[in-house]
Amino acid sequence: MEKRDYFDEVYEVVRLVPKGRVTTYGTIARYLSLRAGARMVGWAMNGSHSQTDVPAHRVVNSVGVLTGKHFFGGPTIMQQLLEDEGIQVNNDRVVNFKTLFWDPALELGL
DNA sequence: AGAGTGACTGGCT
DNA sequence: GAGCCAGCCACTC
C-alpha cells in the first residue's frame, strides 16, 4: 500500500493544529493544493491510525461536525478527546467552531 | 475497464 | 440550521 505521498503531508498539517483548535478537510486540501479534494483528506486520515501524533479529532467538516467520530473506535471517543482539550461539542457539532477554526495558511503567516 | 463507495464542499430550497 | 443534489478524486471489487 504505501500511499505516503500526500498522506504524509496531510498528517503533518494536522499535527500542526494547536490544542484546543480545529480545522476542516477542505482547508487542508486547499492548503496542500490537493487536486484530490477534501474527500481524499478524509481518506488520508483513514491511515492516521498508523500515526500516533495525528490528532484527527481536530479535523472536522465545513460546518464543524465530527463526521469521522465513528472511525475512532467509538461514537464518543472523538468528542471526548475534543472536550479534553477544552473544545465544547454539542450534538456532534463543535461549539464556537468558527472561533476555534484554525487555518494553516492564515495562522502560519502565509 | 466500469461501477460503487466515501472521515467533503458549495449552492439552493 | 437542516436536507437534497451535483461535482470532485482515489480506492476496491
Side-chain angles (χ1 to χ4, degrees):
Chain A
M1 292 287 266
E2 302 302 319
K3 300 301 176 182
R4 299 279 180 140
D5 31 39
Y6 66 87
F7 276 56
D8 194 42
E9 293 188 83
V10 174
Y11 300 148
E12 197 168 344
V13 176
V14 176
R15 253 188 294 249
L16 293 175
V17 179
K19 178 183 175 185
R21 302 290 293 279
V22 295
T23 191
T24 75
Y25 302 94
T27 300
I28 296 174
R30 275 180 305 161
Y31 175 68
L32 297 176
S33 301
L34 293 180
R35 302 182 295 92
R39 275 194 144 135
M40 295 304 96
V41 175
W43 193 254
M45 299 314 298
N46 193 321
S48 67
H49 65 85
S50 299
Q51 316 295 318
T52 53
D53 289 29
V54 180
H57 57 275
R58 292 181 190 151
V59 185
V60 295
N61 71 355
S62 61
V63 292
V65 176
L66 286 54
T67 49
K69 61 172 185 178
H70 190 68
F71 283 56
F72 280 76
T76 59
I77 307 299
M78 189 173 184
Q79 179 173 334
Q80 287 186 23
L81 285 170
L82 289 171
E83 291 182 332
D84 187 57
E85 298 186 353
I87 300 176
Q88 289 181 290
V89 179
N90 189 302
N91 194 20
D92 295 340
R93 209 176 301 111
V94 175
V95 180
N96 296 327
F97 165 68
K98 199 175 179 182
T99 303
L100 298 174
F101 178 67
W102 182 84
D103 188 337
L106 190 69
E107 300 292 327
L108 297 179
L110 206 59

